[in-house]
Every structure is written in C-alpha cells, then in structure tokens.
Amino acid sequence: YSGIDGIDPGELPRIAGTLLRQYASNRQGFRTLVHEEASRFFKSRFVAAAQALVPRIEAHHLVRSTKVGIRAQLFDNEKQELVMDFTVERGQRSLHVLNAVSPGFTTSFPFARYLVSLLEKSPAC
C-alpha cells in the first residue's frame, strides 16, 4: 500500500470531506486518534508506544519495512461515525463478518460459536 494508490481519484473529495468533518467534530475522539496515530510516524514516538507493551525494546531493535497493514474500520455514512463492533451480514447463501478489527483475536472462539448458532437457526448458507 502506498499513499492513495488504488483509490478512485473521483472519490478523493468525498473521502477528504468525510475525514475533515470527523476531525472537526471530534466525534468518538477521532481527532485524538488521528494525533496519536500520526505521532507514531516519528520513530521516537513509535518506540515509546512499543515500550508500553515491551518495556525493554529499544530504537535499534526496530527496522524499516516496506510491508504495512491496513486496519479495517467501517464508517456508517448515515450516522457519520465509526462502527465500533463486529457487523454480521447474511446473504442468500453467505455469511459475512465485517469490521473484525484486532480485538477479534481475543473473542474468536466465543464469536465463532455465535456465528455457528446463527447458521444453525437458519442454515440457508
């Protein structure tokens, strides 16, 4: 992933407008989140954040990588806010889990049981 590669240029004004409105209104602490995440572009700040998890880590332990990850996050256009939980949508022959952000790993087994229960109630999938 690199910058805005893969984004339709015609969508940029809409995306930028949505982000600016979220930033200006600071709904759900969006502005604070932006500042926290942006500060991690500085190695010293990134190291400090990493040290909160691994106190003995030092700057020389970290190396630059061209591989990045994208954190999936749904945005509700009607409510103009981030969706903060899993969303499960059923198709005629499918079941889709949306917005399974990082905490999904800590809830994977209970959540799997929940999905199975949905399929058992209505096994159209």
Side-chain angles (χ1 to χ4, degrees):
Y1 306 101
S2 178
I4 60 172
D5 288 353
I7 296 176
D8 178 352
E11 287 290 306
L12 287 176
R14 185 186 62 78
I15 293 168
T18 298
L19 290 172
L20 286 171
R21 280 190 299 280
Q22 280 294 107
Y23 185 85
S25 71
N26 198 31
R27 290 187 71 186
Q28 300 172 292
F30 186 79
R31 186 179 318 128
T32 304
L33 178 64
V34 168
H35 290 208
E36 287 174 3
E37 292 300 316
S39 74
R40 294 185 182 139
F41 280 99
F42 300 100
K43 190 170 185 176
S44 62
R45 299 267 178 92
F46 188 87
V47 170
Q51 286 172 333
L53 299 171
V54 184
R56 294 180 60 185
I57 201 162
E58 297 178 16
H60 71 273
H61 293 134
L62 303 175
V63 295
R64 184 176 294 277
S65 175
T66 57
K67 296 179 182 179
V68 298
I70 300 295
R71 180 176 178 259
Q73 181 73 56
L74 288 178
F75 183 77
D76 186 323
N77 281 323
E78 289 179 17
K79 294 179 181 177
Q80 291 292 297
E81 65 185 25
L82 298 172
V83 177
M84 301 307 283
D85 204 355
F86 297 113
T87 299
V88 178
E89 290 191 6
R90 293 200 66 157
Q92 187 174 13
R93 297 178 48 84
S94 61
L95 183 71
H96 303 272
V97 178
L98 308 172
N99 213 44
V101 296
S102 300
F105 290 111
T106 59
T107 63
S108 59
F109 289 113
F111 190 62
R113 284 190 287 277
Y114 168 72
L115 294 174
V116 168
S117 75
L118 287 179
L119 292 172
E120 288 174 342
K121 289 178 186 172
S122 177
C125 295

